[in-house]
């Protein structure tokens, strides 16, 4: 068993972090992490390079992903750990999800234009490259760059949040489909930030389909969230994971280093996998 601390929920610029995978690993090194999970939204493009750089820096990289799903108007994020990130069928599905994200970004821009906000899709795309999993955080950043808002949260509150006037649904998969996709490639499905979702029923619904864990430690979880979900995990034999959900400077503050979970949680994931 290894010692030290891990952060199992981190993004790169393959999705909506401002950090490249190299910058992420350098930050992981500087905050002293023994292992990290790379969990980009609907993308696995940073994993190979992450593992490579991790080897040089002495940081273990767990291959992961964060799939966006939706059910009854609820946004549900499913993390997958120790996935086979080279599986062709899976890669094709991710490609479709990313293409639909681009379509959706264009629709959001159209709605913003109808609200007299003169932002262009090019303003968003210049924050990404051709493979990036483009999302609302990129649009929020473009809005900020154009001085239409003063901070990222305002973009979600005023315009692109779930009930906002410029919100557009994604082409969506259900949480059950997300769990199944991860299981199919040998991964461990974990419900991301359940405290943000606040819907324990969904956890019980997903367990029979293979949900294996819940993210108990997360930068948006309160102390009572942590207590509640630790207990729920213990009672239902679920794995416990945790991470900062750092998006680089994407959300204004660099979060890596703020959630450090002991290595034994990663050992339990490995034991489950084997
Ligand atoms: P999308 O995947 O395009 O639907 O965008 C969801 C992402 O937007 C989340 O994973 C977060 O990175 C970000 N996000 C959602 N709500 C907020 C918020 N209120 N403030 C900042 N970022 C947010
Ligand atoms: Fe995100
Ligand atoms: Fe998430
Ligand atoms: Zn995340």
């Amino acid at each position: 068993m290894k010692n030290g601390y891990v952060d199992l929920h981190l993004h790169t610029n393959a999705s909506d972090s401002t950090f490249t995978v190299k910058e992420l690993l350098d930050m992981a090194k500087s905050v002293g992490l023994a292992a990290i999970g790379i969990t980009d939204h609907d993308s696995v493009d940073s994993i190979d390079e992450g593992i490579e750089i991790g080897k040089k820096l002495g940081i273990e990289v767990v291959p992961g992903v964060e799939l966006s799903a939706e059910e009854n108007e609820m946004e549900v994020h499913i993390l997958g750990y120790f996935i086979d990130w080279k599986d062709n069928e899976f890669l094709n599905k991710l490609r479709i999800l990313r293409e639909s994200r681009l379509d959706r970004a264009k629709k959001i821009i159209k709605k913003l234009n109808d609200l007299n906000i003169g932002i262009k899709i090019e303003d968003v795309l210049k924050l990404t490259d051709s493979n990036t999993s483009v999302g609302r955080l990129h649009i929020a950043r473009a809005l900020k760059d154009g001085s239409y808002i003063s901070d990222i949260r305002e973009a979600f509150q005023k315009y692109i949040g779930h009930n906002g006037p410029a919100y557009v649904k994604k082409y969506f998969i259900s949480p059950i489909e997300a769990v199944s996709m991860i299981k199919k490639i040998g991964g461990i499905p974990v419900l991301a930030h359940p405290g943000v979702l606040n819907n324990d029923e969904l956890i019980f619904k997903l367990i029979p389909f293979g949900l294996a864990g819940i993210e108990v430690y997360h930068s948006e979880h309160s102390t009572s969230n942590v207590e509640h979900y630790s207990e729920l995990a213990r009672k239902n034999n679920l794995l416990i994971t945790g991470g900062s959900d750092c998006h680089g400077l994407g959300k204004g503050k660099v979060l890596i280093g703020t959630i450090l979970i002991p290595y034994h949680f990663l050992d339990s994931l490995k034991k489950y996998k084997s």
Side-chain angles (χ1 to χ4, degrees):
M1 186 172 135
K2 272 172 75 173
N3 290 317
Y5 291 92
V6 311
D7 180 336
L8 295 174
H9 190 156
L10 295 162
H11 294 269
T12 73
N13 63 353
S15 66
D16 53 358
S17 172
T18 58
F19 286 165
T20 62
V21 65
K22 169 85 171 70
E23 287 166 340
L24 177 67
L25 266 294
D26 285 341
M27 286 299 288
K29 182 81 188 171
S30 71
V31 299
L33 288 162
I36 64 166
I38 297 183
T39 55
D40 276 309
H41 301 288
D42 303 335
S43 173
V44 290
D45 285 0
S46 282
I47 293 176
D48 281 318
E49 199 183 340
I51 291 173
E52 225 23 63
I53 300 168
K55 273 184 195 150
K56 288 184 198 136
L57 297 177
I59 297 170
E60 190 179 345
V61 171
V62 178
V65 71
E66 183 175 21
L67 297 179
S68 302
E70 188 163 323
E71 178 164 280
N72 301 330
E73 303 292 315
M74 248 188 323
E75 286 176 51
V76 181
H77 290 178
I78 306 287
L79 294 159
Y81 291 110
F82 293 108
I83 51 170
D84 173 6
W85 71 98
K86 296 185 194 287
D87 181 275
N88 269 324
E89 199 186 322
F90 183 70
L91 288 171
N92 275 331
K93 280 188 186 157
L94 293 186
R95 213 165 290 135
I96 294 168
L97 292 173
R98 288 199 300 268
E99 278 164 17
S100 75
R101 278 174 166 278
L102 181 58
D103 269 358
R104 173 205 190 213
K106 290 176 183 162
K107 287 182 186 148
I108 293 177
I109 298 298
K110 169 84 177 55
K111 281 197 168 184
L112 287 167
N113 292 160
D114 291 345
L115 295 166
N116 282 326
I117 293 170
I119 188 178
K120 296 193 292 289
I121 187 70
E122 290 76 23
D123 301 328
V124 178
L125 296 184
K126 83 179 173 218
L127 302 172
T128 70
D129 65 39
S130 60
N131 268 331
T132 304
S133 188
V134 59
R136 283 179 290 160
L137 198 53
H138 296 107
I139 296 172
R141 280 167 55 201
L143 285 170
K144 184 156 185 279
D145 292 346
S147 302
Y148 297 106
I149 48 159
S150 53
D151 73 49
I152 297 293
R153 277 196 187 269
E154 196 184 333
F156 286 87
Q157 272 157 11
K158 272 198 181 155
Y159 304 113
I160 58 177
H162 208 266
N163 295 313
Y167 180 72
V168 176
K169 266 188 182 208
K170 267 197 294 265
Y171 159 80
F172 63 87
I173 55 173
S174 71
I176 291 173
E177 282 174 291
V179 166
S180 307
M181 270 172 75
I182 287 163
K183 273 183 70 78
K184 209 167 168 193
I185 51 167
I188 306 172
V190 170
L191 180 67
H193 37 70
V196 175
L197 209 58
N198 195 17
N199 188 320
D200 294 355
E201 235 173 81
L202 180 74
I203 299 175
F204 297 116
K205 182 174 168 185
L206 294 178
I207 291 173
F209 292 92
L211 185 78
I214 51 178
E215 188 176 48
V216 168
Y217 303 95
H218 184 271
S219 44
E220 288 183 38
H221 278 182
S222 64
T223 315
S224 68
N225 284 151
V226 172
E227 280 166 13
H228 173 73
Y229 291 107
S230 301
E231 191 60 10
L232 194 149
R234 198 185 57 76
K235 282 190 179 149
N236 295 281
N237 237 333
L238 291 167
L239 293 160
I240 291 175
T241 70
S244 65
D245 207 356
C246 180
H247 284 70
L249 288 162
K251 292 187 177 180
K253 215 165 75 188
V254 174
L255 295 171
I256 188 170
T258 61
I259 301 283
L260 303 169
I261 68 162
Y263 195 95
H264 70 81
F265 289 110
L266 178 52
D267 271 327
S268 301
L269 285 182
K270 289 181 185 174
K271 220 174 277 165
Y272 180 90
K273 165 85 179 171
S274 60

